[in-house]
Amino acid sequence: MKIEIILSLGFLALVKSATQDDYVIQDCQTCGNIKCYVAKMSIRDKITQKLHISGQYWTESSTSCSTATSALTSGTAGFKSLINKFNFGGVSLFGTNINSVTGGVNLIHDIQEANKVNNIVPLFVSVSEEGGEYLNLKQVTMLPGNMATAASYNTGNALSAGGIIGDEIGSLGFNLDNAPFANLEYDATDLSYIMRGFSDNPNLVASNAVKYFEGLKSMKIVSNAKYFPSYGYSVDPATGFRIDTKSKTEFEQSDKIPFQALIDNGIDMITVSHMLYPGLDSSTVPSVSGGSVTIPASMSKTIVTDILRTQMGFSGVVISDYNTLPELNAQIPKADQVLGMFKAGVDIANVPENVRCFNDASLYETLISNIESAVSDGSYPIESLNESVARILTVKKKYDLLVYQNDINELVTNAASTVGSAENKAKALEIAENAVTIVKNSPRLNKVLPWVPYDNDSLMVLCGTAQEETEIRQFFAEQNFNYLYIRVQRYLQGITSSSLDVYSANYTKVIITTYLENKYPTLDSNNAIIDNALPGAEPAFSVPQHMFDMAQFRLRPIVQVSLGSPQDTSFYNNVPVAISSYGHRSPDATGATGMPNLRAALNAIFGISPITGKLPVDVYDITRTNIVFPAGYSA
């Protein structure tokens, strides 16, 4: 029988289960709701509930604090002391913090245990895990990514992707995922945002983002949709801030649509970006230099309160993007940033100070004192503070996050059987297979796919990296093909034109993977491509192009597999067949196989899986002027 011992901590009722050693806030004895707790909390505890810290870098040494570059991977004495000192609302962790499944479970457990000493409210523990190209946690199942998910034109795949991620990060101890990525896939050259978006169509983004959120929610993981109102895909040269110059009307027809859909479907948290959106708010704030700068979205009451809350009806938690961005700290004083965000209506300042050792606790003391003064003099009304903290605790209660889980052995066992499970990996491959799209299919070699191996056929596969080579070799090792000969080689190791000519002459079929380092290659004054060379390697454009030319000359069947943005399917001449799989190679430098996109492409070429995907974005010509293949297209 479960025995509960009620302990009194002032105004709060804390219940301890003798069987599970769990702690949970019970309903207030007098008023029975979250607002009752908030009204009784100290000003300091209210403020710290609105602050999330980071363990990205940490050292136990005070002398090397500012230069610490090692990640926190275990609950060290210094970090636990920092947690004990402040009743923070949450901790943001990164892939570098999790060195193994067991290590991750123990780290998060240690952090929550340290928090429990003085804080009866458990922490949000967050990670930015979208599951695709830019995977944070190398232990979890590698999904094909948002653009691939959208290319399947089946929102059930977005639901599955969110569910897989939620299941796996939840077993590690995370309760908050900074996802889904609800921004449009703009025609941008910034590699860090290529393929993170579902689509350039706001309605397609909306339908996938909503299902992704529902998948996370089904696993009791709080979703934090990002980045509102957009991320800004260009840079303001004067300040270094990302900037979006769209008008309010343009915003309502594009960026607003996915976020409105998420709000209408009950999203609980939204990240507001630090970028400039002068079409929505062109007012200014004082800068470090003594002048002024256009107000970032995160500090704009017009954007956060008037548009997001009042006009769009969002009643959940607004959290800032990380306050460690260099351009933000170069332009706006730290105290002004955080207080400005809170006054604008932001509930949580996400890593306002990047602490690296216990001595950095003084940074938070200064920050908290500044906010306390603002509450005391009325410039930050106590009513606003109370409402904000109530929103935070309401979400924690909704997701059963007011409970401390202490059975570490049970947690480790569950995580070991959940993270990277065979079932989840199989589903990830299925999603990737649903995404593969035929973008080109030449009439002279029409219906060339799927390829059926014959005894007199020889096959050449040219790929870009060691990770790709490992994946391709493993694929062929698992098949029972009767090719006369199969050769797999990396063309970025340095292949001469004469070698390529020999390959095109000696092999009856050729597969070549492409992935340009930028979404668009650099052009000269005549709109000719300037080779996009990788350090110490052959150009990533000219080698594939030479093979396509030789295949055309000798009428060799050849397939381009685009592993990056599908934009590059329009760049190469003489390509008879091009397929897009929307995902690069594994980010694991050891050469381990990872993302299922390449495997899905190979399955498609050899008829192991059908090709049913369609482009989720418009594909332009190399000058970014004309649409060559529209969204929804497949050859």
Side-chain angles (χ1 to χ4, degrees):
M1 183 175 67
K2 182 177 179 179
I3 302 173
E4 292 183 341
I5 305 169
I6 297 182
L7 307 175
S8 176
L9 290 184
F11 65 93
L12 294 174
L14 181 67
V15 172
K16 179 178 180 182
S17 164
T19 56
Q20 296 181 357
D21 196 29
D22 294 342
Y23 291 81
V24 58
I25 294 177
Q26 298 297 296
D27 288 336
C28 180
Q29 300 298 314
T30 57
C31 60
N33 59 46
I34 291 294
K35 290 184 179 179
C36 170
Y37 296 108
V38 176
K40 299 292 186 178
M41 292 172 73
S42 69
I43 297 296
R44 181 183 174 91
D45 281 352
K46 293 176 186 179
I47 293 169
T48 53
Q49 191 64 211
K50 289 166 59 63
L51 303 175
H52 284 198
I53 65 166
S54 168
Q56 184 173 18
Y57 305 110
W58 188 260
T59 178
E60 292 290 279
S61 169
S62 59
T63 57
S64 59
C65 185
S66 62
T67 59
T69 56
S70 296
L72 180 82
T73 56
S74 62
T76 65
F79 193 79
K80 289 192 286 189
S81 294
L82 181 70
I83 294 290
N84 293 158
K85 186 175 178 62
F86 303 96
N87 290 339
F88 288 118
V91 174
S92 294
L93 297 179
F94 299 81
T96 51
N97 295 119
I98 311 300
N99 56 15
S100 67
V101 170
T102 299
V105 173
N106 279 288
L107 170 64
I108 295 173
H109 179 262
D110 284 351
I111 290 172
Q112 291 283 22
E113 286 290 288
N115 182 66
K116 186 173 68 176
V117 174
N118 294 317
N119 188 3
I120 66 169
V121 182
L123 296 157
F124 276 131
V125 184
S126 69
V127 66
S128 295
E129 191 50 77
E130 299 167 23
E133 182 79 12
Y134 302 97
L135 197 74
N136 245 307
L137 303 172
K138 64 182 180 181
Q139 295 82 13
V140 302
T141 296
M142 301 185 77
L143 291 157
N146 290 336
M147 187 177 287
T149 302
S152 72
Y153 281 80
N154 177 358
T155 56
N157 284 329
L159 181 69
S160 295
I164 289 171
I165 291 173
D167 188 25
E168 296 195 10
I169 68 172
S171 73
L172 290 170
F174 292 101
N175 50 39
L176 170 59
D177 189 11
N178 298 317
F181 186 83
N183 297 129
L184 275 62
E185 173 72 12
Y186 284 113
D187 188 26
T189 57
D190 186 344
L191 183 64
S192 63
Y193 290 91
I194 294 174
M195 297 181 298
R196 283 182 69 182
F198 288 103
S199 171
D200 54 7
N201 182 308
N203 293 309
L204 189 56
V205 175
S207 60
N208 279 276
V210 167
K211 288 300 181 181
Y212 194 103
F213 149 60
E214 290 177 358
L216 285 169
K217 185 179 179 180
S218 70
M219 296 297 165
K220 302 191 80 64
I221 299 296
V222 180
S223 292
N224 175 23
K226 58 193 181 187
Y227 299 89
F228 186 83
S230 80
Y231 198 77
Y233 290 85
S234 58
V235 176
D236 177 27
T239 62
F241 280 100
R242 289 180 179 267
I243 187 169
D244 194 322
T245 58
K246 286 195 291 292
S247 68
K248 184 175 181 181
T249 299
E250 291 171 324
F251 160 74
E252 291 175 344
Q253 296 172 349
S254 56
D255 298 309
K256 177 182 177 181
I257 292 172
F259 286 99
Q260 187 66 68
L262 285 162
I263 291 168
D264 293 345
N265 284 274
I267 192 78
D268 296 284
M269 189 177 292
I270 291 176
T271 288
V272 62
S273 69
H274 297 305
M275 60 118 223
L276 312 181
Y277 214 127
L280 299 183
D281 189 353
S282 59
S283 59
T284 61
V285 291
S287 69
V288 171
S289 63
S292 62
V293 295
T294 301
I295 193 167
S298 57
M299 294 175 63
S300 168
K301 188 173 183 180
T302 297
I303 291 174
V304 176
T305 297
D306 296 345
I307 295 177
L308 181 58
R309 291 206 185 280
T310 303
Q311 296 177 22
M312 298 176 66
F314 181 58
S315 59
V317 171
V318 177
I319 183 172
S320 75
D321 194 6
Y322 294 119
N323 278 60
T324 54
L325 292 179
E327 61 270 21
L328 183 67
N329 293 307
Q331 294 290 337
I332 303 173
K334 183 69 68 175
D336 293 351
Q337 291 174 29
V338 178
L339 193 54
M341 290 190 302
F342 288 169
K343 290 180 179 179
V346 171
D347 297 304
I348 296 172
N350 202 358
V351 194
E353 296 287 2
N354 200 5
V355 296
R356 301 184 182 220
C357 70
F358 179 76
N359 280 15
D360 278 348
S362 60
L363 297 173
Y364 275 102
E365 290 289 2
T366 300
L367 189 63
I368 293 165
S369 295
N370 182 65
I371 301 169
E372 286 175 328
S373 296
V375 174
S376 179
D377 65 24
S379 59
Y380 180 39
I382 185 64
E383 295 80 10
S384 297
L385 176 61
N386 288 343
E387 290 171 2
S388 181
V389 176
R391 283 191 289 266
I392 295 168
L393 295 184
T394 296
V395 172
K396 287 187 175 182
K397 183 177 182 181
K398 177 179 177 180
Y399 283 80
D400 296 330
L401 302 183
L402 297 179
V403 179
Y404 284 100
Q405 300 290 345
N406 289 334
D407 190 339
I408 186 63
N409 293 326
E410 181 181 333
L411 295 173
V412 169
T413 300
N414 178 60
S417 63
T418 301
V419 177
S421 70
E423 180 183 1
N424 287 347
K425 288 181 177 179
K427 186 61 181 180
L429 178 59
E430 179 185 329
I431 297 171
E433 290 173 339
N434 293 166
V436 176
T437 307
I438 296 183
V439 184
K440 290 181 181 179
N441 201 5
S442 172
R444 72 177 174 85
L445 293 173
N446 196 26
K447 302 185 184 301
V448 69
L449 296 183
W451 281 351
V452 178
Y454 294 102
D455 290 339
N456 61 342
D457 274 351
S458 57
L459 176 67
M460 179 77 207
V461 185
L462 290 171
C463 58
T465 68
Q467 291 90 339
E468 290 175 41
E469 183 179 356
T470 299
E471 180 74 26
I472 294 167
R473 289 185 182 280
Q474 182 173 319
F475 170 81
F476 284 117
E478 295 169 3
Q479 310 307 318
N480 188 29
F481 292 155
N482 59 342
Y483 277 105
L484 180 66
Y485 189 71
I486 299 174
R487 181 187 182 107
V488 182
Q489 183 165 333
R490 278 176 276 159
Y491 61 79
L492 293 182
Q493 285 182 310
I495 296 179
T496 64
S497 296
S498 58
S499 295
L500 293 175
D501 293 344
V502 171
Y503 296 153
S504 67
N506 292 345
Y507 292 90
T508 57
K509 287 185 172 69
V510 180
I511 298 171
I512 187 161
T513 66
T514 62
Y515 184 89
L516 298 183
E517 281 294 284
N518 296 297
K519 191 170 181 179
Y520 289 91
T522 303
L523 304 181
D524 63 19
S525 59
N526 296 316
N527 286 334
I529 292 176
I530 299 173
D531 285 340
N532 181 16
L534 301 176
E538 283 290 310
F541 178 82
S542 62
V543 172
Q545 184 60 69
H546 188 85
M547 284 299 290
F548 295 136
D549 292 340
M550 289 296 98
Q552 166 75 2
F553 176 73
R554 291 191 167 92
L555 294 180
R556 292 286 191 264
I558 185 169
V559 175
Q560 173 198 1
V561 179
S562 172
L563 295 178
S565 165
Q567 300 296 341
D568 73 354
T569 56
S570 72
F571 299 163
Y572 299 92
N573 299 317
N574 297 322
V575 181
V577 178
I579 64 175
S580 187
S581 62
Y582 312 98
H584 197 202
R585 64 292 311 238
S586 165
D588 185 350
T590 64
T593 57
M595 288 179 70
N597 307 63
L598 177 55
R599 175 59 68 103
L602 294 170
N603 285 349
I605 291 171
F606 294 99
I608 297 171
S609 60
I611 306 176
T612 59
K614 296 183 289 186
L615 287 171
V617 294
D618 291 328
V619 172
Y620 289 80
D621 63 14
I622 205 160
T623 65
R624 310 185 218 179
T625 304
N626 303 305
I627 296 175
V628 180
F629 307 112
Y633 172 84
S634 63

